[in-house]
Structures are given as structure tokens and as C-alpha cells.
Amino acid sequence: TKAVLINSPNNPSGAVYGEDFIHQLGELLRKKEAQYGVPIFLISDEAYRKIIYDGRNYPFVWPHHQQSIVATSHSKDLALPGERIGYIAVHPSCSQREELVDGFIHCNRILGYVNAPALMQHVVSHLQSVTVPVTEYQRKRDFLYNHLNEMGYSVMKPQGAFYMFPKSPLEDDVAFVRELQQWLVLTVPGRGFGSPGYFRVSYCVDDKTLEGALAGFRKAAQKFNLC
Ligand SMILES: Cc1ncc(COP(=O)(O)O)c(C=O)c1O
């Protein structure tokens, strides 16, 4: 094992890892580093760090593992999908810090990935305390979660991000997503996330869109005997 990649708040489940979990993960990684005599990197994909509900927060991973790398994006917290702007931070005491940073620069410059314009890189540095209205997102989460629950869908209440990941009433999640499409409700099959049997709903949309989707969710729930 060269690296462990975690994503919290999570896309697609909305789960947020607590301090205990990150602490135990750090301990496990250090134990395995000692056992195998190699560094094991902890990569924390934190694109949704600023979108967390119910007063929770996501701990910083650096105090729990020295060989750690944090990846962020402003696609979500500034609602700029497709803008491809964020940053990667390497733990200051990481043993291969220089090589890693050189590697990241190489990827960005040479391999043709999208580079954020220099002007915007300066602009976002002044927007670190700005974020989308999280209480609005929480209200949308509660609205959709309560309705899906009441219709009989089995779904974990998201703690962050803006997705819900209910169990598909059909074993074949692609067939169920197609069924919802008939009712003009667009969702994503869970198998694309390595979790067949589930489907992902994004709720960072207008209230009208969420309200409009309820009839389709209900029709599908009735058809497959959830309620
Ligand atoms: C968990 C996670 N990380 C990273 C990204 C990448 O964001 P972007 O390429 O828009 O900066 C996404 C986008 O959906 C995501 O869900």
C-alpha cells in the first residue's frame, strides 16, 4: 500500500469522519509504515470541508499523520463547478515533500491539466472565509431526507456535502435510475461509485426542482412497494 485516499464529507454518501476515526487511521498507518518500512501517504480529499451540517466539523488530518496530503477544490464551497480551482497542501514535515510538490507542479504544467488563471488564484486566496449558504443546503437536505424517508426509501442522513445515497428499491440500480428518468427525475447509479444497489441524488438545486421531483420519487416508491 502506497497511499490511502479518504473523502470526507463524502461524495456520494454525505458521511463525515470524526476525530476518533482519523486518529485511529493515523495510528494504523504508522503501524503499517513501521511493519513494511515504507511511507504510506494519507490523501484527504476535502472538496466539501466547508459544507457540513448540524454543528459538526471535519478534523484536520495533519495532526494525525505526518505523511499526509490535503486536496481541496472551490467547485463546491464557492459553487464554481468546472472552474477547476483549489489547492493541494503537503504536510510540512512530510518526508518526500519536495518531490511531491515538484510532481504536482509537473502534472499541472506539463501534462495539460487545466490551470486556473493567475488572476483567479489571487482572487480565491481572499475568499477563504467565503462559502455557499450552508444553512440553506441543510434545509434542502432536511426537506428531501424527510420526504424520501416518509416514502419508504432507506437512506442515511447526510452529515455534509450535498448528496443523498439511498438504497435502490431494485437490485439493479441502473434500471431504477432509468425508472426515475421516466418521471423526469435525474439521479446517478451507485455502481459508478463502486456501490451497486444504491443511487445518488444531488440536492443543491432550486427548491422548485426538489419539490418537482417528489412526485416521481413517490411514483417509483409505489411501483416497487416501498409504501
Ligand atoms: C469528492 C470530490 N473531490 C473532488 C472533486 C473535484 O472537483 P473539481 O474538479 O470540480 O475541482 C469532486 C467533484 O465532484 C468531488 O466530488
Side-chain angles (χ1 to χ4, degrees):
T1 304
K2 300 260 188 273
V4 170
L5 171 65
I6 53 174
N7 166 224
S8 172
N10 185 264
N11 173 9
S13 71
V16 177
Y17 297 139
E19 187 104 39
D20 271 4
F21 176 87
I22 301 296
H23 179 73
Q24 284 175 30
L25 181 59
E27 280 186 341
L28 177 68
L29 293 178
R30 275 188 304 286
K31 195 171 127 196
K32 292 295 168 188
E33 284 181 329
Q35 187 178 338
Y36 297 117
V38 289
I40 303 178
F41 297 102
L42 175 62
I43 305 168
S44 176
D45 175 350
E46 308 187 349
Y48 303 89
R49 165 177 285 285
K50 293 183 185 164
I51 307 175
I52 300 186
Y53 311 124
D54 308 320
R56 283 173 202 275
N57 61 30
Y58 177 51
F60 289 98
V61 297
W62 281 4
H64 300 289
H65 195 55
Q66 198 168 301
Q67 304 292 103
S68 57
I69 300 163
V70 170
T72 70
S73 164
H74 290 302
S75 291
K76 324 296 172 184
D77 58 41
L78 294 178
L80 296 173
E83 196 62 22
R84 305 279 179 257
I85 187 159
Y87 61 84
I88 294 181
V90 180
H91 194 299
S93 310
C94 179
S95 62
Q96 290 161 20
R97 187 170 63 96
E98 280 183 26
E99 266 176 284
L100 284 168
V101 172
D102 286 351
F104 298 147
I105 293 170
H106 175 85
C107 288
N108 233 20
R109 287 217 184 123
I110 317 287
L111 299 183
Y113 290 103
V114 179
N115 279 297
L119 178 63
M120 282 304 145
Q121 294 187 36
H122 286 291
V123 170
V124 293
S125 72
H126 295 280
L127 293 177
Q128 292 306 305
S129 57
V130 178
T131 189
V132 290
V134 176
T135 45
E136 275 290 288
Y137 283 33
Q138 184 171 317
R139 186 180 55 73
K140 289 175 196 288
R141 174 205 63 172
D142 291 342
F143 176 82
L144 186 64
Y145 175 77
N146 291 338
H147 279 284
L148 291 183
N149 237 338
E150 172 258 317
M151 291 175 204
Y153 287 94
S154 162
V155 56
M156 189 201 89
K157 192 171 193 176
Q159 300 163 321
F162 42 69
Y163 309 105
M164 233 165 260
F165 204 49
K167 204 167 173 11
S168 165
L170 291 179
E171 205 181 318
D172 183 346
D173 45 307
V174 174
F176 186 69
V177 163
R178 290 217 175 98
E179 180 70 31
L180 286 173
Q181 270 175 19
Q182 313 271 326
W183 305 103
L184 305 181
V185 178
L186 299 182
T187 58
V188 183
R191 68 185 57 184
F193 301 92
S195 299
Y198 290 81
F199 64 102
R200 189 192 76 170
V201 191
S202 172
Y203 55 85
C204 68
V205 292
D206 284 346
D207 285 355
K208 269 195 173 160
T209 308
L210 277 184
E211 287 160 19
L214 294 183
F217 279 124
R218 192 175 300 281
K219 290 225 163 75
Q222 281 161 350
K223 181 164 174 182
F224 300 111
N225 302 320
L226 289 185
C227 50

